[in-house]
């Protein structure tokens, strides 16, 4: 095929790709996990409070980005707002008594995330010279603040490890402790071989024992609800998607015909707004348009200056 035709096909394909990216709305899932407000995996989607915190990998796996790393997300619950993540560096049943190097899990305290009080942390083989390892007195249940410094060796979870009650031998010590800050967790890991996190999952039944222990880290989150977001999502007003301006962080209702600051069927807004759906697409489309324009200009320049060789291609007139 003639090189001129190949180059033109390349320009047309690039332009079509850019137009397609311009018309795409926010993704609503990653793998089998739904992505609803306040989260977004595309920049400009969801609430700016959670910008760039969720990542959908190339393998379609959802991950949470924190100061200590990226962690697989197992579940997002919007009715009881929380995220369940797993930490590959924590001890698991498969490890048995083979304790691997670990690192402390941490959250950015400036965002609307918090470690749930439903988490329990189990520490293994702690140095009793540096850590207070002893059974907690009964009064600790009523006055937990008086027992903050104790790692409970009589913990129910230490005696009944979820899914693998007999994974650890008698030579391995276990105690339960809830670190209130990342620094206290770092200190614990300085004197303990490893740790794991267990959270109490709600079984959704109205019985006396309606929770069950499960490995993972529960992270609670807030859903910032605003009148403008509710109006934007209202089906009778166009059923838009709540998002934000990637430059100003101001509210934006994402609609098929562009972004507005009210709701999709507000025609006065559409007359003034012709911005693209997602903020990142703007930069891509503008850059792409400049790139295509430069390509056409360069192509015409090369075409005009190329020597006539009667079909013979040389190093002087080669396009690629």
């Amino acid at each position: 095929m003639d090189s001129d035709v190949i180059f033109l096909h390349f320009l047309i394909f690039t332009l079509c790709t850019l137009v397609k990216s311009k018309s795409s709305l926010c993704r609503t899932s990653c793998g089998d996990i739904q992505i609803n407000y306040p989260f977004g995996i595309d920049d400009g989607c969801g609430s700016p409070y959670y910008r760039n915190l969720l990542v959908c990998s190339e393998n379609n796996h959802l991950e949470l980005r924190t100061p200590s790393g990226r962690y697989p997300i197992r579940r997002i619950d919007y009715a009881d707002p929380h995220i369940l993540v797993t930490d590959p560096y924590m001890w698991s049943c498969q490890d048995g008594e083979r304790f691997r190097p670990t690192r402390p899990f941490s959250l950015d305290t400036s965002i609307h995330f918090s470690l749930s009080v439903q988490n329990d942390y189990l520490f293994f083989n702690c140095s009793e010279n540096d850590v207070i390892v002893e059974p907690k007195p009964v009064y600790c249940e009523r006055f937990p603040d008086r027992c903050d410094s104790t790692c409970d060796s009589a913990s129910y979870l230490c005696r009944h490890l979820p899914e693998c009650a007999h994974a650890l031998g008698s030579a391995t010590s276990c105690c339960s402790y809830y670190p209130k800050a990342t620094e206290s967790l770092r200190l614990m890991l300085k004197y303990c071989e490893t740790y794991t996190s267990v959270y109490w999952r709600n079984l959704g039944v109205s019985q006396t024992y309606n929770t069950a222990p499960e490995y993972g880290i529960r992270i609670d989150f807030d859903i910032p609800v605003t009148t403008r977001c509710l109006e934007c999502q209202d089906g009778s007003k166009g059923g838009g998607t709540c998002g934000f301006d990637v430059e100003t962080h101001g509210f934006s209702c994402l609609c098929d015909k562009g972004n507005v600051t009210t709701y999709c069927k507000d025609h006065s807004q559409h007359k003034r707004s012709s911005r693209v759906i997602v903020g990142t697409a703007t930069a891509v489309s503008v850059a792409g348009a400049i790139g295509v324009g430069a390509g056409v200009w360069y192509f015409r320049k090369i075409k005009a200056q190329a020597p006539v060789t009667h079909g013979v291609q040389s190093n002087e007139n080669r396009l690629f």
Side-chain angles (χ1 to χ4, degrees), residues 16 35 46 77 81 84 111-112 125 129 152 160 165 169 172 177 214 231 234 254 266 294 300-301:
C16 290
I35 307 298
D77 191 322
L84 180 64
I111 57 178
H112 292 223
N125 286 351
N129 295 326
D152 186 12
H160 303 85
T172 301
Y177 176 72
E214 183 177 325
E231 279 190 332
D234 189 341
L254 313 182
D266 186 349
R300 289 177 176 175
K301 182 179 179 182

Side-chain angles (χ1 to χ4, degrees), residues 86-105:
T86 57
D87 185 349
Y89 290 92
M90 285 185 176
W91 179 87
S92 65
C93 287
Q94 291 73 23
D95 293 328
E97 294 183 319
R98 299 184 302 276
F99 297 137
R100 298 174 287 112
T102 188
R103 65 185 184 190
F105 177 86

Side-chain angles (χ1 to χ4, degrees), residues 61-314:
H61 294 155
L62 191 62
E63 297 176 325
L64 173 68
R65 182 188 284 121
T66 80
S68 56
R70 284 166 55 161
Y71 301 90
I73 294 177
R74 289 170 53 185
R75 180 168 61 250
I76 299 180
D77 191 322
Y78 297 94
D80 176 20
H82 72 271
I83 297 175
L84 180 64
V85 304
T86 57
D87 185 349
Y89 290 92
M90 285 185 176
W91 179 87
S92 65
C93 287
Q94 291 73 23
D95 293 328
E97 294 183 319
R98 299 184 302 276
F99 297 137
R100 298 174 287 112
T102 188
R103 65 185 184 190
F105 177 86
S106 66
L107 281 177
D108 186 348
T109 55
S110 66
I111 57 178
H112 292 223
F113 277 148
S114 61
L115 288 173
S116 174
V117 295
Q118 297 182 36
N119 295 322
D120 273 322
Y121 298 90
L122 305 181
F123 295 85
F124 303 108
N125 286 351
C126 297
S127 168
E128 297 191 17
N129 295 326
D130 303 288
V131 179
I132 302 175
V133 181
E134 59 184 27
K136 282 189 177 182
V138 177
Y139 68 78
C140 289
E141 295 183 6
R142 295 186 60 189
F143 308 101
D145 292 343
R146 299 183 184 180
C147 307
D148 278 352
S149 59
T150 302
C151 194
D152 186 12
S153 59
S155 164
Y156 170 84
L157 290 174
C158 281
R159 292 178 285 112
H160 303 85
L161 286 171
E163 304 173 14
C164 52
H166 306 290
L168 301 176
S170 57
T172 301
S173 65
C174 172
C175 62
S176 175
Y177 176 72
Y178 186 88
K180 290 188 174 181
T182 302
E183 188 57 35
S184 60
L185 178 55
R186 288 195 185 100
L187 285 174
M188 286 293 291
L189 290 178
K190 183 178 179 181
Y191 302 114
C192 304
E193 285 198 50
T194 190
Y195 81 124
T196 193
S197 174
V198 177
Y199 93 105
W200 292 90
R201 177 170 58 90
N202 192 328
L203 299 176
V205 294
S206 56
Q207 298 177 358
T208 305
Y209 301 101
N210 61 350
T211 59
E214 183 177 325
Y215 292 105
I217 305 172
R218 173 177 166 141
I219 301 169
D220 295 333
F221 64 87
D222 299 326
I223 301 180
V225 179
T226 65
T227 303
R228 286 192 295 179
C229 182
L230 293 176
E231 279 190 332
C232 172
Q233 294 175 326
D234 189 341
S236 65
K237 296 185 177 182
T241 301
C242 297
F244 59 92
D245 188 297
V246 296
E247 296 178 358
T248 67
H249 286 191
F251 175 78
S252 190
C253 185
L254 313 182
C255 312
D256 290 332
K257 296 182 179 179
N259 297 355
V260 296
T261 57
T262 53
Y263 50 89
C264 295
K265 287 188 177 180
D266 186 349
H267 301 295
S268 63
Q269 285 279 315
H270 283 296
K271 290 178 182 178
R272 298 195 303 266
S273 175
S274 60
R275 301 178 66 181
V276 295
I277 304 300
V278 179
T280 50
T282 306
V284 172
S285 299
V286 171
I290 293 172
V292 171
V296 172
W297 171 84
Y298 180 74
F299 170 71
R300 289 177 176 175
K301 182 179 179 182
I302 291 293
K303 186 78 174 176
Q305 295 178 354
V308 179
T309 56
H310 302 286
V312 178
Q313 184 171 253
S314 65

